[in-house]
Amino acid sequence: MLSSTWNFIKRHKRKFIFAGVFVGGVYLLGKYAQRKIQEMQEREAAEYITQARRQFHFESNQRTCNMTVLSMLPTLREAIIHHLNSESITALLKTKPANKLEIWEDLKIISFTRSIVAVYSTCMLVVLLRVQLNIIGGYLYLDNSVTKNGTTPLAPSDVQQQYLSSIQHLLGEGEDTNCCPCLLRVSLKQSLSLQELEQQLTQIRQLVEEGCASSKHKSLSWYMMPDEENTLASQACGLTENDVTTIKLLNETRDMLESPDFTTVLRTCLSRGFIRFLDNMSEFFRPPQGDSNPSSTPDRSVYILSHVSLPLAKIIPIINGQIHSICSEIPSHFVQDLLLIDQVKEFAANVYETFSTPQELQK
């Protein structure tokens, strides 16, 4: 029996060898595939964890942005009130001076100017801090997640402090206090409806923004950051490594502020801000008691917009006080509207994505 078995094996030797090689190959291939699948699963899990950590860091950074905006609004408000002090003019009017009409004209210009400057400055603060804190946030993510091998941090704490202090330009020098010349033509005795007030604001916006678009005027980005030449000139001597890093961050920020995407986001914020500003003003444009027209009008807001008017002398104190609701550290509809704009969120995500991706992956 053993001989017959041996003879059978000898006759089919090649088949047994082929079967052995085939089975062994299948086994090795299976092991190889199993190892590759395991590596792929581990890589996918690592990528998922990295993306989850990155998303968590981004969302945390956006909450920091929101809190920083709210914390800086009182400083912004005080800076605007300091530059456009209508309270001293109001106090002067109470003394019944001989040039009362002239003082009223000054109060008109200052009251409109400081509320309009408040809208512009708050919108700029929201988008500028979104850019700055997401640039810093992206670099901090890389410092904490990628460069743990003893290399120099991309954003040391001293650099962060120096870089973020550039926001003081917006809070001081960046404020334009001469943006309402067209109001000089409007008499104090003239009555304005909400619609006419909106037209006045539109004219002012055109003067400011079209002027900024002209090569003869400063761009809107200038109001948020100083000129590059001034920044470099002031630090031209004895630059430290941190100074060089700070200048790099400022230049990267300036590039962002001068991009078409940033301009679109800022204009979206300004449009939303002025809409909310008019909504706040509409609360004071009430139909006279006993007026039956509004109740019979299908759209009450349309009636108020065009039919209810107030003398400019009565609008001035109302508009003068709007800065306290615009630049309020307590979350108001005005600020919340700006913080929740989708374009702002998308732009912030793009900035963070750009600066939290290792350079070797960007190439």
Side-chain angles (χ1 to χ4, degrees):
M1 182 176 178
L2 289 175
S3 61
S4 61
T5 302
W6 177 247
N7 290 334
F8 176 80
I9 292 173
K10 286 174 64 178
R11 286 197 307 270
H12 299 282
K13 179 173 65 174
R14 291 184 178 180
K15 294 180 180 179
F16 278 109
I17 292 173
F18 176 77
V21 170
F22 177 76
V23 171
V26 169
Y27 174 78
L28 292 175
L29 185 62
K31 282 291 186 180
Y32 176 80
Q34 186 179 19
R35 187 171 71 253
K36 285 297 181 183
I37 291 173
Q38 184 178 0
E39 289 176 358
M40 184 176 65
Q41 289 174 336
E42 290 174 352
R43 186 167 58 251
E44 289 177 349
E47 289 176 357
Y48 176 80
I49 293 171
T50 299
Q51 287 297 328
R53 185 184 297 117
R54 195 178 187 185
Q55 182 65 25
F56 176 80
H57 187 260
F58 170 73
E59 291 173 355
S60 175
N61 200 47
Q62 303 324 295
R63 290 191 292 271
T64 301
C65 287
N66 294 343
M67 290 187 292
T68 305
V69 168
L70 292 174
S71 69
M72 296 194 73
L73 284 174
T75 304
L76 178 63
R77 182 179 65 238
E78 294 306 314
I80 296 173
I81 290 175
H82 174 74
H83 283 88
L84 296 161
N85 189 352
S86 61
E87 284 72 20
S88 61
I89 298 178
T90 303
L92 183 59
L93 281 172
K94 292 179 180 179
T95 64
K96 298 181 180 180
N99 59 340
K100 184 177 180 180
L101 184 59
E102 181 182 343
I103 296 174
W104 263 103
E105 289 291 337
D106 290 342
L107 181 61
K108 174 183 71 176
I109 297 299
I110 287 182
S111 297
F112 272 85
T113 299
R114 82 173 188 173
S115 288
I116 290 168
V117 167
V119 174
Y120 271 98
S121 299
T122 303
C123 291
M124 289 178 177
L125 181 68
V126 167
V127 289
L128 176 58
L129 281 174
R130 273 288 189 277
V131 171
Q132 288 191 304
L133 291 179
N134 278 292
I135 289 177
I136 287 292
Y139 281 144
L140 285 177
Y141 174 80
L142 291 178
D143 284 340
N144 294 328
S145 303
V146 179
T147 57
K148 290 186 176 180
N149 54 0
T151 58
T152 303
L154 296 169
S157 57
D158 290 345
V159 169
Q160 295 176 42
Q161 185 175 359
Q162 190 176 6
Y163 167 63
L164 293 175
S165 68
S166 64
I167 196 74
Q168 295 301 320
H169 179 76
L170 173 61
L171 301 180
E173 297 177 33
E175 292 169 359
D176 190 348
T177 58
N178 186 24
C179 65
C180 301
C182 58
L183 282 169
L184 292 171
R185 299 189 296 269
V186 182
S187 168
L188 291 167
K189 296 179 180 179
Q190 182 177 339
S191 292
L192 294 176
S193 66
L194 201 59
Q195 189 173 41
E196 290 168 332
L197 179 60
E198 182 181 13
Q199 291 169 356
Q200 290 290 329
L201 293 175
T202 300
Q203 289 180 34
I204 294 169
R205 281 196 66 186
Q206 288 174 344
L207 285 171
V208 173
E209 294 166 35
E210 290 179 7
C212 287
S214 170
S215 59
K216 297 180 181 179
H217 293 76
K218 300 168 183 173
S219 65
L220 284 176
S221 64
W222 181 90
Y223 296 98
M224 291 172 273
M225 291 195 71
D227 291 334
E228 182 177 3
E229 293 77 9
N230 294 339
T231 302
L232 295 176
S234 64
Q235 304 184 58
C237 300
L239 290 176
T240 65
E241 185 177 348
N242 282 352
D243 291 334
V244 173
T245 304
T246 302
I247 292 172
K248 174 178 176 289
L249 289 174
L250 290 173
N251 289 336
E252 289 171 337
T253 304
R254 191 175 290 104
D255 289 341
M256 284 287 177
L257 300 188
E258 293 173 355
S259 68
D261 287 345
F262 179 85
T263 301
T264 299
V265 171
L266 178 57
R267 291 191 186 279
T268 300
C269 283
L270 290 171
S271 296
R272 184 70 61 86
F274 278 104
I275 287 172
R276 174 54 65 181
F277 174 66
L278 285 167
D279 284 346
N280 292 347
M281 291 295 297
S282 68
E283 296 296 322
F284 300 92
F285 284 75
R286 299 288 186 182
Q289 290 186 353
D291 191 340
S292 59
N293 286 328
S295 60
S296 61
T297 302
D299 191 347
R300 176 184 173 87
S301 62
V302 172
Y303 178 87
I304 294 175
L305 186 66
S306 57
H307 289 79
V308 180
S309 60
L310 291 175
L312 183 57
K314 288 189 176 181
I315 295 176
I316 289 172
I318 298 171
I319 211 163
N320 185 53
Q322 287 300 306
I323 189 173
H324 297 286
S325 61
I326 295 170
C327 301
S328 172
E329 66 272 29
I330 300 172
S332 63
H333 290 301
F334 185 91
V335 177
Q336 285 180 335
D337 277 2
L338 298 181
L339 296 176
L340 295 175
I341 293 175
D342 289 337
Q343 290 92 326
V344 173
K345 295 179 180 179
E346 292 169 6
F347 184 70
N350 291 336
V351 173
Y352 183 85
E353 176 77 18
T354 299
F355 290 93
S356 63
T357 302
Q359 290 186 358
E360 58 270 18
L361 298 181
Q362 296 180 12
K363 298 177 181 178

